[in-house]
């Protein structure tokens, strides 16, 4: 009997897509991808022009994904190999930058030539007291107008034809139809002017409208592409921080500079003053102060001595030191940050689904509206019915392009997540960004989150005949087998007091209660009050002393030898200096702060008192397996809960919370379970993350509202509803300008997020700074 092969985990592909222009393009590609066998999920981002696809590798591969995109009518751009060797992140920065620059230059040239030709045509057609007949003007301008129509407007026909082959319509279809209608009508008038002259009308053409529409749409795309390139600035700036070379110390002291890609774990590197640390590692000799502001936002350099870790891309300021490389390439902190930012910028927020649903039916609906508009004008409109109907038909097609809807959400997410990365707030994706603004309750773990996470031994109390050194020796000997932060504090305290530490046998960790083992043949039990009660041990007068230690903010740890409680250790963990300010800022924003810890309740209350958390918001003596249950309890009350933690035992609670926030100095598993990672561990960054989310969602709502309002208000005007009352119609050239500016305004509105003060402890960004910018359509 053969067993079925184990299912392979999904893999993720990120492909650059060519030809997308609006939200309907995004919706169509996603629809084709999600219908492809083996595709688990797909998300297409108009701002980054990339498709992120999760596939089951046993059923689909890159070829199937590319085929689906091509069947949708679009192309996958060949992706030049980026500099993966240094960071392990595929960036293709040089190739993509060159390609974008070339495309930007081509758009600019075609836009300038088109607008210049259009202005020349308009000057001839509308010159006061024009000395030449309209028929002659038409013959003079037909050549340059045709050149613009098929040279500058080539891209509209190309992408419209691709869509037509796959029975779809998009923004290019609207522009191509509208300008072709204006151009074709004008050519007919030029060759057969007598048709209109027989009706006592001047053979007026619309070459000016066709050329100015193409020019302004191209100019809008140039401005849009230029603005979109700025939204990706965060990743480029992060990559620009990395060193290009490293100085390796060879055998016999020889030093040689090598490309960063050649550095391997274990290599010894020299870092001189003013240089960037090449990779992650440990200082082995010398010392310096390292500026880590690119990661933590903290401007004060951090002193580094032998044994301490340094992070690649941080700046060495004063001294020279040797370091041993521990993580290189894709494993470095910088590479992980870049990868997380890229994934976040390519993601979608749930709020975007509305735009996607609307855009899926928008373009076909506009085509129907435009056709009906022409029919109504032709059937019941005043003379010249054909001309007025044609103008209305063209204007509806041009004014209704849904570019702004497609850019409203992704550009804001790109700028928001990029701004967060620069401040040390790494947001996993659009869903996390949107969720953060709903948070009204934040639960903080204590150790390593509100405290420094570097416990030290405080007081040692004894009972009976035991001496302080004996109690400390038994405790430290058992803790040699533990990885708990309190164990390190006890071992360090024993060393500083000159206590000889022995070896423990039969060591066992008791999950949230303590540890036990045998030292010199004697049974030693080390842990909290609950453990002592469970074992039926009498703690006597040590109970009052434990309460006194706890009231002073020290964690009491009981030491029992041979079933008799021999002493008590007080472990102190200093509170982070920024913790109280973080709590104050959360409360000023209407957010409740809670403390969740496995520590003694009196110790937890002492910490809560110092940072400003109310006593009834303290959940103490909670076992690791119960932390997620406490989060559920608060959620059951209708709260949207964020959990902030740094340890392995926080991972279930982080996953359970509506928003999991991991301290970046903590365990990898906690970071993996989180939605937001705070690089450096400053608790004030929780406030920064929430502010950033609120600001970004505010801008997204502005963008979507104004993009929808633009179409809702101007499509009826373009159809001519104002003509019977005020004799007003909308000129196609003005429609083209408004349509182009709508996209540019949305991107510009998103770019204002770069002005947000996301650094911890800084003044909040004034709300008025994120009010919508003025413009014809944002």
């Amino acid at each position: 009997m053969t067993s079925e092969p184990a299912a392979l985990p999904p893999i993720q592909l990120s492909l650059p897509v060519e030809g997308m222009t609006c939200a309907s393009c995004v919706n169509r590609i996603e629809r084709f991808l999600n219908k492809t066998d083996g595709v688990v999920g797909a998300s297409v981002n108009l701002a980054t022009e990339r498709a992120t696809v999760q596939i089951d590798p046993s059923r689909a591969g890159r070829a199937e994904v590319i085929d689906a995109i091509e069947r949708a009518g679009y192309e996958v751009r060949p992706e030049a190999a980026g500099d993966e060797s240094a960071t392990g992140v595929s960036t293709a920065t040089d190739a993509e930058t060159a390609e974008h620059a070339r495309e930007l230059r081509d758009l600019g040239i075609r836009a300038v030539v088109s607008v210049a030709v259009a202005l020349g045509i308009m000057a001839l057609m509308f010159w006061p007291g024009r000395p030449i007949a309209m028929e002659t003007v038409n013959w003079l301008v037909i050549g340059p107008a045709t050149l613009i129509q098929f040279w500058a407007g080539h891209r509209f026909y190309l992408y419209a034809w691709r869509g037509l082959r796959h029975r779809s319509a998009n923004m290019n279809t609207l522009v191509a139809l509208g300008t072709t209608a204006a151009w074709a009508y004008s050519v007919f008038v030029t060759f057969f002017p007598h048709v209109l002259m027989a009706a006592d009308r001047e053979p007026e053409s619309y070459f000016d409208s066709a050329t100015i529409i193409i020019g302004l749409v191209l100019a809008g795309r140039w401005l849009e592409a230029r603005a979109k390139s700025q939204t990706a600035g965060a990743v480029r700036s992060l990559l620009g921080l990395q060193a290009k070379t490293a100085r390796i110390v060879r055998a016999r002291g020889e030093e040689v500079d090598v490309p960063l890609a050649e550095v391997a774990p274990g290599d010894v590197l020299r870092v001189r003053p003013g240089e960037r640390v090449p990779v992650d590692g440990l200082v082995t000799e010398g010392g310096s102060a390292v500026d880590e502001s690119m990661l933590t936002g903290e401007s004060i350099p951090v002193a580094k001595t032998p044994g301490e870790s340094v992070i690649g891309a941080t700046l060495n300021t004063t001294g020279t030191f040797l370091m041993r490389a521990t993580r290189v390439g894709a494993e470095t902190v910088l590479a992980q940050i870049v990868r997380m930012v890229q994934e976040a910028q390519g993601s979608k927020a749930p709020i975007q689904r509305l735009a996607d649903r609307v855009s899926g039916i928008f373009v076909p609906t506009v085509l129907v509206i435009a056709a009906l508009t022409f029919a109504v004008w032709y059937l019941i409109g005043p003379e010249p019915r054909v001309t007025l109907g044609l103008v209305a038909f063209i204007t509806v097609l041009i004014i209704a392009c849904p570019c702004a809807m497609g850019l409203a959400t992704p550009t804001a997410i790109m700028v928001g997540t990029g701004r967060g990365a620069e401040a040390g707030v790494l947001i996993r994706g659009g869903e996390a960004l949107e969720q953060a603004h709903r948070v009204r309750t934040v639960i903080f773990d204590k150790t390593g989150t509100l405290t420094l996470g570097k416990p030290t031994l405080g007081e040692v109390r004894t009972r009976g005949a035991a001496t302080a050194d004996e109690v400390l020796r038994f405790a430290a000997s058992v803790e040699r087998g533990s990885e708990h932060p309190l164990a390190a504090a006890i071992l360090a305290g024993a060393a500083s007091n000159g206590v000889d530490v022995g070896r423990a046998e039969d060591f066992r960790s008791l999950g949230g209660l303590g540890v036990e083992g045998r030292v010199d043949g004697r049974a030693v039990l080390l842990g909290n009050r609950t453990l002592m009660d469970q074992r039926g041990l009498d703690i006597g007068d040590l109970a009052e002393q434990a309460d006194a230690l706890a009231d002073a903010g020290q964690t009491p740890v009981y030491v029992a030898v041979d079933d008799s409680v021999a002493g008590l250790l007080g472990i102190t963990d200093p509170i982070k200096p920024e913790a109280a300010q973080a709590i104050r800022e959360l409360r000023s924003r209407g957010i409740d702060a809670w403390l969740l810890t496995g520590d003694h309740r009196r110790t937890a209350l002492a910490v809560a008192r110092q940072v400003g958390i109310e006593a009834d918001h303290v959940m103490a003596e909670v076992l690791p397996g119960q932390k997620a249950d406490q989060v559920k309890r608060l959620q059951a009350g209708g709260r949207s809960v964020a959990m902030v933690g740094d340890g392995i035992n926080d991972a279930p609670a982080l996953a359970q919370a509506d928003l999991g926030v991991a301290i970046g100095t903590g365990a990898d598993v906690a970071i993996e379970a989180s939605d937001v990672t705070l690089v450096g561990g400053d608790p004030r960054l929780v406030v920064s993350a929430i502010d950033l989310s609120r600001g970004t969602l505010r801008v997204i709502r502005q963008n979507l509202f104004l993009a929808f309002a633009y179409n809702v208000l101007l499509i009826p005007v373009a159809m001519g509803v104002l003509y019977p009352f005020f004799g007003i119609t909308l000129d196609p050239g003005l429609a083209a300008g408004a349509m182009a500016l709508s996209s540019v305004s949305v991107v510009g509105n998103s770019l204002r997020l770069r002005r947000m003060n996301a650094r911890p402890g800084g003044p909040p960004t004034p709300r008025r700074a994120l009010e919508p910018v003025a413009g014809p359509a944002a």
Side-chain angles (χ1 to χ4, degrees):
M1 180 177 176
T2 59
S3 60
E4 293 186 7
L8 297 173
I11 62 174
Q12 180 172 292
L13 299 177
S14 179
L15 303 174
V17 180
E18 191 174 88
M20 293 191 298
T21 53
C22 62
S24 63
C25 303
V26 170
N27 188 65
R28 180 175 175 81
I29 296 172
E30 287 183 348
R31 196 167 66 248
F32 271 72
L33 285 170
N34 285 318
K35 287 192 299 185
T36 302
D37 183 50
V39 171
V40 179
S43 175
V44 180
N45 191 304
L46 179 62
T48 59
E49 297 178 343
R50 297 187 81 87
T52 303
V53 189
Q54 299 277 347
I55 62 171
D56 178 351
S58 64
R59 297 161 56 205
R62 185 184 178 92
E64 286 78 9
V65 172
I66 292 175
D67 179 63
I69 293 172
E70 290 177 345
R71 280 189 288 107
Y74 302 86
E75 292 185 358
V76 175
R77 192 168 53 243
E79 191 165 20
D83 183 13
E84 290 195 18
S85 55
T87 63
V89 180
S90 179
T91 60
T93 49
D94 293 340
E96 286 188 3
T97 300
E99 174 64 22
H100 287 154
R102 185 199 64 75
E103 185 176 351
L104 208 60
R105 186 167 57 251
D106 181 65
L107 273 173
I109 291 171
R110 291 173 191 257
V112 168
V113 173
S114 300
V115 172
V117 169
L119 291 176
I121 292 173
M122 293 167 72
L124 276 174
M125 293 179 67
F126 303 109
W127 193 270
R130 188 179 62 236
I132 54 178
M134 193 68 206
E135 307 97 281
T136 307
V137 172
N138 289 341
W139 281 109
L140 288 174
V141 302
I142 189 173
T146 302
L147 171 69
I148 296 303
Q149 187 69 36
F150 296 103
W151 169 71
H154 167 73
R155 65 177 54 227
F156 302 121
Y157 288 105
L158 175 64
Y159 294 127
W161 170 246
R162 287 179 183 172
L164 184 62
R165 281 190 307 160
H166 297 89
R167 297 184 298 279
S168 72
N170 53 39
M171 171 192 164
N172 297 290
T173 309
L174 303 182
V175 176
L177 273 176
T179 58
T180 301
W183 175 83
Y185 174 83
S186 302
V187 169
F188 176 84
V189 167
T190 302
F191 279 94
F192 306 104
H194 58 276
V195 174
L196 292 182
M197 294 174 72
D200 296 326
R201 285 167 44 213
E202 191 174 31
E204 184 177 350
S205 66
Y206 287 94
F207 286 125
D208 59 321
S209 294
T211 52
I212 197 65
I213 287 170
I214 289 173
L216 289 176
V217 172
L218 290 175
R221 288 199 179 176
W222 179 84
L223 289 169
E224 178 188 309
R226 189 167 177 270
K228 281 199 297 185
S229 67
Q230 296 177 40
T231 65
V235 171
R236 284 199 300 271
S237 62
L238 285 170
L239 289 170
L241 293 173
Q242 65 182 357
K244 300 297 184 287
T245 62
R247 177 167 287 253
I248 292 184
V249 180
R250 305 285 193 194
R252 298 184 301 278
E254 178 189 2
E255 297 183 7
V256 57
D257 289 330
V258 300
L260 201 61
E262 296 183 14
V263 177
D267 284 343
V268 176
L269 311 174
R270 181 177 295 279
V271 184
R272 294 169 295 188
E275 293 181 338
R276 291 201 176 272
V277 177
V279 295
D280 299 357
L282 294 172
V283 176
T284 58
E285 183 180 319
S288 182
V290 176
D291 181 356
E292 296 182 340
S293 59
M294 55 79 67
L295 287 174
T296 65
E298 178 55 61
S299 59
I300 300 175
V302 180
K304 299 293 181 181
T305 55
E308 294 192 286
S309 62
V310 286
I311 299 173
T314 53
L315 182 65
N316 181 29
T317 59
T318 54
T320 298
F321 60 87
L322 296 181
M323 60 171 287
R324 189 174 301 280
T326 56
R327 294 193 289 190
V328 302
E331 300 302 316
T332 63
V333 170
L334 178 65
Q336 293 176 46
I337 289 174
V338 169
R339 188 158 49 248
M340 188 178 288
V341 173
Q342 285 179 329
E343 289 174 359
Q345 292 187 336
S347 67
K348 284 190 177 185
I351 196 173
Q352 190 173 344
R353 291 171 190 152
L354 173 63
D356 289 347
R357 285 197 299 268
V358 171
S359 66
I361 59 172
F362 191 80
V363 174
T365 303
V366 168
L367 290 173
V368 172
I369 291 173
L372 289 174
T373 299
F374 179 79
V376 171
W377 276 99
Y378 182 76
L379 293 173
I380 62 174
E383 293 293 345
R385 293 178 298 168
V386 174
T387 301
L388 291 172
L390 179 65
V391 169
F393 172 80
I394 295 168
T395 306
V396 168
L397 291 178
I398 300 304
I399 203 74
C401 294
C403 314
M405 279 190 283
L407 293 168
T409 300
T411 52
I413 288 176
M414 285 183 70
V415 180
T417 54
R419 186 72 189 91
E422 292 169 352
V425 179
L426 303 182
I427 300 171
R428 195 168 290 276
E431 190 167 350
L433 188 68
E434 183 171 340
Q435 183 61 46
H437 94 285
R438 299 192 183 98
V439 168
R440 293 297 178 269
T441 299
V442 177
I443 303 173
F444 288 93
D445 173 54
K446 182 178 76 68
T447 305
T449 303
L450 292 179
T451 65
L452 292 175
K454 298 178 180 178
T456 57
L457 180 66
E459 298 183 46
V460 180
R461 306 285 179 89
T462 62
R463 184 182 183 210
T467 66
D469 284 354
E470 286 175 336
V471 169
L472 190 53
R473 179 178 181 275
F474 281 120
S477 299
V478 174
E479 291 287 20
R480 285 184 67 170
S482 174
E483 296 181 354
H484 195 280
L486 297 186
I490 293 170
L491 286 165
S496 64
N497 283 283
V499 174
D500 181 34
V501 179
R503 288 195 172 276
E505 299 174 342
D506 302 327
F507 171 82
R508 190 160 70 101
S509 176
L510 302 174
L513 298 173
V515 294
E516 64 179 344
R518 300 189 69 83
V519 179
D520 299 337
R522 304 180 70 180
V524 178
L525 187 68
L526 191 75
N528 56 25
R529 172 71 179 268
T530 303
L531 178 60
M532 299 298 119
D533 291 343
Q534 285 184 1
R535 296 295 177 92
L537 301 180
D538 177 29
I539 59 175
D541 61 347
L542 287 180
E544 293 182 3
Q545 298 183 51
D547 289 344
L549 290 176
D551 288 339
Q554 295 188 47
T555 300
V557 178
Y558 295 92
V559 182
V561 181
D562 290 335
D563 295 330
S564 175
V565 178
L568 179 68
L569 308 179
I571 310 296
T572 180
D573 186 5
I575 293 172
K576 290 180 179 178
E578 312 89 1
Q581 184 182 351
I583 303 303
R584 285 197 304 273
E585 291 184 5
L586 284 173
R587 294 179 67 178
S588 72
R589 288 158 175 78
I591 298 172
D592 288 336
W594 289 65
L595 179 63
L596 175 64
T597 179
D599 215 337
H600 191 281
R601 181 162 185 82
R602 286 179 176 267
T603 305
L605 287 171
V607 171
R609 187 167 55 250
Q610 293 179 64
V611 299
I613 295 177
E614 295 92 337
D616 59 351
H617 283 187
V618 174
M619 297 176 284
E621 300 176 20
V622 180
L623 296 177
Q626 298 172 340
K627 287 190 174 183
D629 294 334
Q630 295 298 322
V631 174
K632 286 181 186 177
R633 184 173 65 83
L634 291 180
Q635 288 173 323
R639 301 171 184 264
S640 181
V641 177
M643 172 70 197
V644 188
D646 76 326
I648 292 174
N649 59 3
D650 296 323
L654 290 170
Q656 172 62 41
D658 298 290
L659 185 76
V661 182
I663 297 293
T665 52
D668 289 343
V669 67
I671 294 172
E672 282 299 314
S674 69
D675 304 301
V676 177
T677 299
L678 309 180
V679 181
D682 188 336
R684 293 175 299 176
L685 286 172
V686 176
V687 184
S688 298
I690 292 173
D691 283 351
L692 196 65
S693 169
R694 290 180 174 181
T696 303
L697 264 293
R698 191 178 307 131
V699 167
I700 288 174
R701 290 194 187 99
Q702 292 166 4
N703 287 348
L704 287 173
F705 171 77
L706 294 170
F708 280 121
Y710 161 80
N711 284 298
V712 169
L713 292 175
L714 291 185
I715 287 178
V717 176
M719 293 169 65
V721 296
L722 298 181
Y723 187 83
F725 307 101
F726 306 104
I728 296 174
T729 60
L730 189 61
D731 183 82
L734 291 176
M739 186 272 288
L741 286 175
S742 68
S743 299
V744 176
S745 298
V746 162
V747 179
N749 198 40
S750 298
L751 284 171
R752 291 181 308 108
L753 285 166
R754 296 170 70 179
R755 302 207 303 262
M756 279 198 72
N757 185 7
R759 295 288 185 185
T765 304
R767 185 183 179 92
R768 63 178 179 275
L770 293 179
E771 292 305 314
V773 293

